[in-house]
Each structure stands twice: as C-alpha cells, then as structure tokens.
Amino acid sequence: MGTRFLCWVTICLLGAELTEGGVTQSPRHMITGKGQAVALWCDPISGHRALYWYQQTLGQGLGLLISFEDEAVADDSQLPKHRFSAERSKGGDSPLQIKPAELGDSAMYFCASSLATALQN
C-alpha cells in the first residue's frame, strides 16, 4: 500500500465584516487543494477609482500583485500571469483568480482601494 500525500494551499483573506463604506473581500478564508482553481472577490469603497490586490506570504513583506485605475490595469508587473488573473468591472468589483493553485500561493491576500492613485495627487 503506497503512501499518498495530500498537498493543500491555504488562501487567506483579510476578514473584514461588512461595514458602511468599507472594502469587502470574500471569502474570508479558503483552503483548497493543489491544482484547484481559486476565486477571490473584492468590492471596493464606492467612488474609489484605484483598486489594489496584495499578497503576503509567511515571513515576507506585503507585495503588490496588480493595481487598477478605474477599469484599466495600472501595474501588473508582479502578477504571475501564467496562473493569476484579475480584472475590474465598471461597477467596481474585482475578482482575483488563481488557476491552478500551487503550494507557493499559500498566503494572505489583501484588497484595498483609494480615491485616486498616488501619481495623481
């Protein structure tokens, strides 16, 4: 009888309760198997033009994955495009997808929004 190893990728999100006017992320946490598809959602603060997805792996600092100005990608230079994708709809929400998940994707994923990008201020 062979030993089978089951590998898991843990995807964690900053769990914020629904509050008036705040960024909402869902799901609050997720555990998925290696090779599975992952979809995370961000609903930014109404009226905010800029949206950011960040990743923080254990023992590492926060790293920007992708940023949007309105619906356009402003910076996706750190997004692993062969497996990660993100978009922003005209309504403002943003899905972040990982297909397929790998062990190295185990991290905290954060979404943030702002009225404008730093370059505009």
Side-chain angles (χ1 to χ4, degrees):
M1 216 171 159
T3 304
R4 293 177 56 188
F5 290 97
L6 186 57
C7 298
W8 293 97
V9 176
T10 303
I11 307 294
C12 298
L13 294 172
L14 178 63
E17 293 295 324
L18 289 176
T19 59
E20 187 177 324
V23 173
T24 305
Q25 291 181 230
S26 63
R28 289 184 62 162
H29 63 276
M30 176 184 291
I31 299 175
T32 189
K34 180 181 174 188
Q36 299 297 307
V38 174
L40 312 174
W41 292 89
C42 176
D43 187 13
I45 296 172
S46 180
H48 280 195
R49 295 184 61 199
L51 184 139
Y52 311 89
W53 275 106
Y54 296 93
Q55 177 189 54
Q56 184 174 22
T57 56
L58 187 62
Q60 300 295 312
L62 199 60
L64 177 68
L65 289 172
I66 189 169
S67 64
F68 295 91
E69 179 66 28
D70 295 320
E71 296 84 39
V73 173
D75 181 2
D76 64 354
S77 60
Q78 298 303 309
L79 188 73
K81 295 172 195 69
H82 61 287
R83 293 183 306 104
F84 283 61
S85 64
E87 59 186 31
R88 185 169 186 201
S89 70
K90 188 170 183 156
D93 65 332
S94 176
L96 174 68
Q97 298 181 347
I98 308 169
K99 296 179 188 177
E102 294 181 357
L103 290 176
D105 300 331
S106 191
M108 298 281 290
Y109 291 84
F110 300 93
C111 177
S113 68
S114 68
L115 286 171
T117 63
L119 294 175
Q120 292 176 320
N121 294 332

